Amino acid sequence: MNLTSPFSLAIVAITLLAFLGLPIGHAMIAGSILYLYLAGLDMGTAAEQLLNGMYSNYVILSVPLFILAAEFMNIGSMTDRLMAFCNALVGRFRGGLAHVNILQSIIFAGMSGSAIADAAGTGRMMQVMMTRDGRYTPSYAAALTAVSSVIGPIIPPSIPMVLYALVSDASIGYLFLGGVIPGLLMALSQMIIVFVTARRKNFPVEKPVPLRKLPRITWQAFPSLMMPVVLLGGIYSGVMTPTEAAAVAAAYALVISAGLYRSVSWRDFYQSLAVSARTTASIGMLIAGALVFNYVVTVENIPEGVKALLAGWNLSPVGFLILVNILLLLLGCVLEGTAILLIVVPVFIPTAQALGIDLVHFGVVVVVNIMIGLITPPYGLLLFIMANISGEPLRDIVRDTLPFLFAMIVALAILTFVPETVLWLPRLFGYQG
C-alpha cells in the first residue's frame, strides 16, 4: 500500500483523531472527507451517503426503540419482580445467587438487546445481593455480572444483529432465531463454571423459597415474562416487522411499569428518555461515520482486494471462520464492538459469500465474537462498567473473568464448527439458507 495515497492518509487521520479523543464516528467522517478531497471527488458525497444511509434504512429505527424499551424496563419494578422469580427457581442450589445472575441475564436478553443496558440495569442490584454478608467476593460478583451480560445481545432481540443486518442484508428475523441456541449455550458454559467453582470454593446455599410461594411469585412476574413472548411472537407470526416490534416492546414496557406496576414517576420517565436519546445519538454518529467510511472502502475496492488475497491463501470455509474468529477476538481487545461490526466485518462478507458460508451463521458467529470482546482485557467495556459499579480494581475482576472467558471461547468454537447450532431453529421456521 502506498503510504502517501489518499486512503492511507485518511486512515492515519482517523487513527490520529481517535487517539486524540475525538469520537470514532466523528473521526471516520473527518477522515472520509479528507479522502474525498485528496482523491479529487465531490466532498458533498459524504453528506449524501450519510443522509441516504440514515434516512432510507428502516431497520436503524429499531435501535433507539430497543434502547428505550430497556430504559422503561429498568425504571419500573419489572426488574425486581423478575429477580424474585429467578431466585425462586435457582436460588436454592449451591452458588444459587450466581446462577440467579445468569438466569436473569437470559430473561433480560429477551427485552433489551444490549449488553451494556443489561449490566447497567441489573449490575448494581446483583452486586449488592451477591456481596451482602460476604457471600461472594466483590470482584467475583462483578466478573459474573459482566460475563452474563453478554448473553443479552445474542438471544433476541439484539442491537448488534440489527447492525449486522444493516451491513450484510441478512434477515433480521432469522438472525434473531439463530441467536437463541448460541445464547443458551453461552449461559450453559457459564453455569458449568459456576457449578464447578461453587463446590471448590464452597459457595453459600441460599434459603430456598417455599414451593407454595412459587405460583404467586410467578404471577407477579408474569406480565414482565410475557414481554419476550409479545416481542418475538409478533415478529415470527408475521404481524410485526422487527422495527415495529421494537416500538411495541417500548410501549409494552412503559404500560407495564407505569400502568400496571405503578412504579414510574415523571422524573423517571424524563430520565429514561434523556438516557435513551444520548445513547442513540452516540450509536447514530458511529453508524453515520461507518456509512461514509464504507463508501470510501467501496471506492478503494478493499472488500474485493481482501477477497482476492484470501483466495490466494486457498482457505476452506472452516479455515476462513477460524481466521475471522482470531482476528475479531484480537480486535475486541482494543476496539469497541460496534466499530468492529460496522467497519471491519463488511470487508469479510464478500469472502464469506464466495466460500458459501451462510450469512446468518456468519452473523451470529461475528456477534458472539464481539460480545466476548466486551469482557476481553484491556478494552473490555463491560469490565470497566462493573469496575465502576463495584469499586473493585480492574485486575481482580479480570482474574475472576478468565475461567468464564475460556468456557465462552469453547462455546464459540462449537458454534463455528457446527453450523446447525445456529441454523437449526431458523430452518425450523422456513429459512432456506
Side-chain angles (χ1 to χ4, degrees):
M1 179 185 291
N2 183 359
L3 296 180
T4 60
S5 68
F7 185 72
S8 297
L9 293 175
I11 295 295
V12 170
I14 293 172
T15 304
L16 183 60
L17 290 171
F19 180 76
L20 292 174
L22 191 69
I24 185 65
H26 295 76
M28 285 191 292
I29 293 174
S32 301
I33 292 174
L34 176 64
Y35 170 86
L36 295 172
Y37 172 74
L38 295 175
L41 301 174
D42 181 10
M43 288 189 290
T45 304
E48 179 184 350
Q49 291 296 316
L50 191 155
L51 292 172
N52 287 341
M54 293 295 286
Y55 293 107
S56 64
N57 202 311
Y58 182 62
V59 71
I60 294 178
L61 186 59
S62 66
V63 174
L65 292 171
F66 279 131
I67 293 171
L68 188 60
E71 288 300 320
F72 285 157
M73 181 181 65
N74 287 332
I75 62 175
S77 62
M78 294 176 71
T79 301
D80 299 332
R81 295 167 190 262
L82 288 172
M83 292 292 289
F85 174 75
C86 294
N87 186 55
L89 289 183
V90 297
R92 66 187 68 240
F93 305 117
R94 184 164 299 281
L97 278 180
H99 289 295
V100 168
N101 199 333
I102 298 171
L103 181 60
Q104 62 87 19
S105 290
I106 297 173
I107 295 176
F108 276 84
M111 302 181 188
S112 72
S114 167
I116 294 172
D118 287 353
T122 63
R124 194 175 302 279
M125 182 185 304
M126 286 307 310
Q127 189 71 23
V128 172
M129 288 177 62
M130 291 185 68
T131 57
R132 185 181 295 141
D133 300 326
R135 287 183 176 90
Y136 301 84
T137 63
S139 62
Y140 183 85
L144 181 58
T145 300
V147 299
S148 68
S149 294
V150 307
I151 298 171
I154 301 174
I155 297 177
S158 167
I159 292 175
M161 286 184 185
V162 171
L163 298 180
Y164 173 80
L166 175 67
V167 300
S168 69
D169 289 329
S171 165
I172 298 178
Y174 289 130
L175 281 167
F176 280 4
L177 280 173
V180 173
I181 294 176
L184 295 176
L185 183 60
M186 284 288 169
L188 177 62
S189 70
Q190 294 172 12
M191 284 186 164
I192 290 173
I193 296 298
V194 168
F195 178 80
V196 173
T197 308
R199 293 192 173 276
R200 181 164 53 85
K201 294 188 176 183
N202 197 30
F203 283 167
V205 177
E206 303 302 317
K207 182 180 179 180
V209 176
L211 292 179
R212 67 177 184 275
K213 292 186 177 180
L214 187 58
R216 179 176 59 83
I217 294 173
T218 303
W219 177 251
Q220 290 174 342
F222 183 75
S224 303
L225 292 169
M226 284 300 294
M227 183 172 172
V229 177
V230 172
L231 178 64
L232 301 179
I235 294 175
Y236 300 123
S237 66
V239 174
M240 296 178 281
T241 66
T243 302
E244 291 165 346
V248 170
Y252 183 86
L254 179 60
V255 169
I256 295 301
S257 295
L260 184 61
Y261 293 158
R262 299 186 181 277
S263 56
V264 178
S265 67
W266 283 108
R267 181 181 179 83
D268 292 334
F269 179 73
Y270 172 78
Q271 287 294 332
S272 65
L273 293 179
V275 170
S276 299
R278 285 194 295 268
T279 306
T280 300
S282 176
I283 296 176
M285 284 306 303
L286 191 53
I287 294 174
L291 289 170
V292 178
F293 183 70
N294 284 342
Y295 173 77
V296 172
V297 168
T298 303
V299 170
E300 285 288 309
N301 210 23
I302 300 298
E304 291 302 318
V306 171
K307 179 180 174 181
L309 175 64
L310 294 177
W313 292 358
N314 292 319
L315 288 173
S316 65
V318 172
F320 172 74
L321 286 173
I322 292 173
L323 176 64
V324 169
N325 277 333
I326 293 172
L327 288 175
L328 292 181
L329 287 173
L330 291 175
L331 287 172
C333 295
V334 295
L335 289 179
E336 197 272 330
T338 307
I340 297 173
L341 194 55
L342 294 173
I343 302 170
V344 178
V345 172
V347 174
F348 293 124
I349 289 175
T351 306
Q353 290 177 305
L355 290 172
I357 297 171
D358 185 90
L359 286 186
V360 170
H361 176 227
F362 185 66
V364 173
V365 169
V366 163
V367 169
V368 171
N369 268 286
I370 290 172
M371 291 304 101
I372 292 176
L374 289 174
I375 57 168
T376 306
Y379 186 80
L381 184 57
L382 287 175
L383 300 178
F384 287 110
I385 290 175
M386 291 314 302
N388 181 60
I389 289 175
S390 67
E392 287 296 291
L394 186 62
R395 65 178 179 275
D396 293 343
I397 297 176
V398 170
R399 179 198 62 217
D400 289 329
T401 299
L402 292 179
F404 295 101
L405 187 59
F406 174 78
M408 293 169 71
I409 290 176
V410 172
L412 172 62
I414 295 173
L415 303 178
T416 301
F417 298 132
V418 188
E420 284 304 308
T421 53
V422 174
L423 297 176
W424 176 78
L425 196 55
R427 285 173 177 162
L428 194 63
F429 280 77
Y431 180 57
Q432 301 298 317

